[in-house]
Amino acid sequence: MIPTPHINVAEKGIIAETVLLPGDPLRAKFIAENYLDNPVQFNSVRNMYGYTGTYKGKKISVKGTGMGMPSIGIYSYELIHFYGVKNLIRIGSCGSLQKDVKVRDIVVGMAACTNSNYANQYNLPGTFAPVASWELLRKAVDIAGQKGIDVKVGNILSSDTFYDDDPEDWKKWARMGVLAVEMEAAALYMNAARAGVNALCILTVSDSLVSHEATTSEERQNSFTQMMDIALELA
Ligand code: ADE
């Protein structure tokens, strides 16, 4: 069934087997124009831009996912099941839940807790633990080490809410050792697990629920560049 309802690409080979997935479609455009050689736009449905180009001669795509689990759930499902994508690398931002995870740090999501009901669709007789691809995780950590980039690796929280009714809720996740909160990884990890493909989530810390610090996107540029260095090398 291609084109799909949300990606207007009629042929399979146009999207690479490895796709970088920022939440913001304009970030996808920026990455394509600044990091890829010969980028060609493949999607414009809902302005959720996607591009394919090359990096060091290797074909790679980058596509916006929008915010939240339903949105990344749709795009990652279509990329996997209709366009043959095998490696899905989310690159995004997160809020720190721990004192020693500072703004501008880089967090790699080894696993993703969630307050969402996304896993309900699988009718499991218990709860599911969404985890990153071990291959991608190990490679990302190796690449960061080789480049001298410090990364915090651990559990993250994919939340359905950015504005919580109880502003103290995050502390319950923090005391379970969860490093940071974002809004997409758990759905990505579940879609990848169900389909037997690889997914990883790499994040820069944009704000801290602990210290109440926040960074502007200009201030995040250096950590964004480091995150991109890891993601592109990984691809
Ligand atoms: N992404 C970046 N910061 C976040 C936060 N504080 N909560 C949820 N998602 C985020």
Side-chain angles (χ1 to χ4, degrees):
M1 184 191 66
I2 53 177
T4 58
H6 307 92
I7 302 175
N8 55 347
V9 173
E11 284 170 56
K12 224 174 165 182
I14 289 172
I15 303 175
E17 279 200 356
T18 298
V19 182
L20 303 184
L21 300 166
D24 179 355
L26 292 179
R27 193 37 83 79
K29 185 171 190 280
F30 176 86
I31 291 167
E33 288 170 354
N34 291 280
Y35 290 90
L36 301 186
D37 293 322
N38 307 312
V40 176
Q41 187 181 321
F42 65 74
N43 192 55
S44 61
V45 178
R46 291 175 183 253
N47 289 334
M48 202 58 80
Y49 304 127
Y51 302 81
T52 298
T54 57
Y55 177 77
K56 293 186 178 171
K58 187 167 186 256
K59 186 170 160 182
I60 162 168
S61 296
V62 54
K63 182 173 186 327
T65 65
M67 290 184 288
M69 279 176 274
S71 190
I72 197 169
I74 289 169
Y75 293 112
S76 58
Y77 189 97
E78 291 184 8
L79 289 171
I80 294 166
H81 292 276
F82 302 106
Y83 295 105
V85 173
K86 303 287 183 219
N87 303 300
L88 300 99
I89 304 165
R90 165 164 153 70
I91 43 177
S93 63
C94 63
S96 168
L97 303 183
Q98 301 290 340
K99 208 163 67 237
D100 59 354
V101 178
K102 312 279 191 205
V103 291
R104 301 183 197 84
D105 278 356
I106 295 175
V107 171
V108 182
M110 186 159 76
C113 310
T114 187
N115 54 18
S116 122
N117 207 24
Y118 198 86
N120 187 53
Q121 64 181 308
Y122 306 116
N123 287 311
L124 297 163
T127 52
F128 182 73
V131 292
S133 145
W134 167 240
E135 280 296 298
L136 289 181
L137 177 67
R138 181 175 55 177
K139 256 184 159 176
V141 174
D142 283 352
I143 292 164
Q146 284 154 17
K147 291 181 177 289
I149 301 170
D150 182 43
V151 291
K152 306 277 195 295
V153 183
N155 216 345
I156 58 175
L157 167 66
S158 299
S159 179
D160 263 351
T161 45
F162 186 89
Y163 300 105
D164 293 307
D165 190 52
D166 179 352
E168 304 279 289
D169 259 359
W170 65 271
K171 292 183 178 169
K172 295 173 190 157
W173 296 102
R175 71 187 183 211
M176 293 300 287
V178 175
L179 301 181
V181 56
E182 53 83 76
M183 304 184 73
E184 291 83 15
L188 177 65
Y189 288 0
M190 284 189 253
N191 275 359
R194 179 71 179 86
V197 300
N198 308 307
L200 182 68
C201 179
I202 310 174
L203 306 159
T204 59
V205 179
S206 59
D207 55 286
S208 169
L209 283 81
V210 183
S211 70
H212 305 292
E213 267 183 286
T215 56
T216 63
S217 56
E218 291 84 60
E219 289 171 324
R220 284 202 298 277
Q221 192 55 47
N222 186 43
S223 35
F224 173 75
T225 304
Q226 291 184 326
M227 176 176 71
M228 283 308 302
D229 283 351
I230 299 170
L232 286 165
E233 227 34 72
L234 187 58

